[in-house]
Amino acid sequence: MGDSHPATDVYEELGVPTVVNAAGTKTRIGGSLIRDEAVEAMAAAAESFVRISDLQARASELIAEATGAEAGFVSSGAAAGLELAAAACIAGDDPSAMARLPDTEGVASDVVMPRTHRTGYDHALRAAGADVVDVGTNDRRLGTGATDVEPWELDAAIDEETAAVAVVQKEYTRPSLRSVVEVAHDNDVPVIVDAAAELPPVANLERFVADGADLVVFSGGKAVRGPQSTGIVAGREDLVGSVAMQQLDMHAEPSVWEPPEGIFGGIEIEGVPRQGIGRSLKVGKEELVGLLRALELFVEADHDALAAAWRERAETASAALSEIEGLSTTVEGGAKSVAPEVVVTVDPDAAGTTAEAVVRTLRREDPRVFVGADDVAEGRFGVNPMCLDDGELEYVLERVRAAVET
């Protein structure tokens, strides 16, 4: 992915095979390769103590600069960011409600979502105590001309039990974020946006805040290439303040406790907040510093040059794989991945094998080779260039050919 990393035998010493990653930034195979500069920053951070709230306060300023939001917070991954976002929308500035979560008796805790935005990741919202209320249908995929969710359906679903509206941001998700925001804000309800994998383009750091989202969550790993165990929460100052109150270590003697400056969003609270639902989602000083350095470099990067390199590798892979008997290829981009992806269709009769068999064979090698397998049941696999250098791409092409021709 652009940096050269020194050879290491740490995985060999542990007896764990490494992975050549042609699947993209998947958490299950390590996400992405952390930037060298971020690793250096983490090592430096490990040499001193720091008050975490001071560090999060500075992180808030830097995230605000990068996103155009009022404030920001570093979470322990995007899913953790979603859980904290839900907790903030439910509990607000009420320390009693914070102390009870995920018990939400007596407070609004419904999170309204378009039905077609529901994923396994909304478990993070429910972990905070939210009850997800899904709205709409799947009609758009039937080709009848109908849409999945109309704004009036969202409006009708919002009531006194609604704490937030949540959406998953993809180019193909409907309705538009702006229309969701308009309905939610007309009802004085905040909007949470799951944009975990929506970087690049770098413009997306500001886009969803500009569209009116109250809390936006990004992965700190993936294309940002910070620590894979980090996430970014950006949004309204008061809601980020609630996130901080429910995540930071507040276990202190009240007589000497001082609310951390610059992170509580001006919220006034009676007494010291107890350890909130976010305590299990803590972020270390090393991860915090690594994420901030990676975010700085991500913003400064030449994303046009990176996109051109991905496109060139995808075209190279497509041409090479299409020469293998029984395989046909197309280069697709934008829908599921920020990088163009080579979609490889396997003709079982001509190839003498199946997409499933190829994927399984590659994953059992040492090093393991991971290709995209989302559509393997339809006879297709993918080759994503996002996490490959030129040498690794050649290796993947060689191993795919061997898996098909063996």
Side-chain angles (χ1 to χ4, degrees):
M1 292 182 58
D3 293 347
S4 60
H5 291 264
T8 175
D9 59 0
V10 62
Y11 294 116
E12 183 177 346
E13 290 178 1
L14 290 170
V16 177
T18 56
V19 168
V20 179
N21 181 4
T25 54
K26 308 294 186 185
T27 298
R28 58 187 172 273
I29 51 174
S32 60
L33 296 182
I34 187 170
R35 299 177 188 271
D36 290 340
E37 299 91 337
V39 173
E40 293 168 3
M42 292 173 71
E47 296 180 358
S48 300
F49 293 99
V50 66
R51 190 167 73 163
I52 299 299
S53 58
D54 289 341
L55 194 51
Q56 282 283 16
R58 180 57 177 148
S60 180
E61 294 173 349
L62 294 173
I63 291 169
E65 290 175 11
T67 63
E70 294 177 355
F73 197 83
V74 178
S75 62
S76 56
L82 291 174
E83 183 175 343
L84 291 167
C89 292
I90 293 169
D93 61 358
D94 182 351
S96 176
M98 294 176 189
R100 294 198 310 272
L101 291 185
D103 178 357
T104 59
E105 183 177 357
V107 294
S109 59
D110 287 351
V111 174
V112 173
M113 292 188 73
R115 189 181 305 274
T116 49
H117 291 227
R118 296 292 307 275
T119 71
Y121 296 105
D122 62 42
H123 197 144
L125 305 174
R126 292 181 279 120
D131 293 313
V132 176
V133 178
D134 55 13
V135 179
T137 66
N138 197 37
D139 283 355
R140 184 164 60 94
R141 286 161 179 76
L142 299 177
T144 62
T147 58
D148 292 334
V149 184
E150 296 285 357
W152 63 262
E153 293 179 282
L154 288 171
D155 184 66
I158 298 173
D159 58 25
E160 66 278 2
E161 296 299 322
T162 305
V165 174
V167 297
V168 175
Q169 176 60 41
K170 290 289 183 184
E171 288 304 311
Y172 49 81
T173 51
R174 299 290 184 274
S176 71
L177 177 57
R178 288 186 178 182
S179 65
V180 172
V181 166
E182 182 178 359
V183 170
H185 287 182
D186 282 347
N187 288 276
D188 296 321
V189 171
V191 175
I192 300 169
V193 177
D194 177 357
E198 296 312 292
L199 298 173
V202 70
N204 278 0
L205 278 171
E206 299 185 56
R207 171 185 168 191
F208 312 127
V209 172
D211 282 349
D214 299 277
L215 288 171
V216 183
V217 178
F218 300 101
S219 170
K222 298 188 184 297
V224 175
R225 295 181 58 201
Q228 182 65 14
S229 56
T230 59
I232 299 167
V233 181
R236 264 172 41 190
E237 187 178 33
D238 61 321
L239 291 174
V240 173
S242 182
V243 165
M245 280 191 280
Q246 298 186 72
Q247 194 276 333
L248 290 173
D249 181 359
M250 302 293 179
H251 198 184
E253 164 58 42
S255 64
V256 296
W257 181 74
E258 296 178 350
E261 295 182 5
I263 194 63
F264 273 10
I267 295 175
E268 294 186 5
I269 189 168
E270 294 295 330
V272 181
R274 293 183 176 175
Q275 300 297 3
I277 197 166
R279 185 68 179 96
S280 62
L281 307 174
K282 67 182 179 182
V283 184
K285 59 187 183 299
E286 297 83 7
E287 287 81 6
L288 266 157
V289 169
L291 180 278
L292 294 176
R293 182 65 176 128
L295 179 61
E296 177 187 21
L297 293 169
F298 175 78
V299 171
E300 295 174 350
D302 185 342
H303 292 282
D304 289 339
L306 189 58
W310 288 341
R311 171 62 63 173
E312 182 178 357
R313 290 190 183 114
E315 297 289 355
T316 297
S318 179
L321 292 172
S322 65
E323 295 176 355
I324 301 173
E325 186 173 357
L327 304 188
S328 58
T329 63
T330 59
V331 177
E332 300 180 3
K336 292 183 179 180
S337 171
V338 297
E341 183 175 52
V342 183
V343 177
V344 184
T345 301
V346 181
D347 179 344
D349 293 331
T353 189
T354 64
E356 179 182 345
V358 171
V359 170
R360 194 166 52 240
T361 296
L362 293 173
R363 291 187 178 185
R364 290 174 176 173
E365 295 186 349
D366 188 359
R368 302 186 192 280
V369 176
F370 266 69
V371 294
D374 290 351
D375 298 320
V376 71
E378 285 74 46
R380 299 187 295 273
F381 65 87
V383 174
N384 187 316
M386 193 172 180
C387 298
L388 295 171
D389 61 27
D390 290 340
E392 290 169 330
L393 176 61
E394 287 300 318
Y395 183 80
V396 170
L397 299 178
E398 171 193 321
R399 298 320 301 158
V400 170
R401 179 180 292 277
V404 172
E405 295 180 347
T406 298

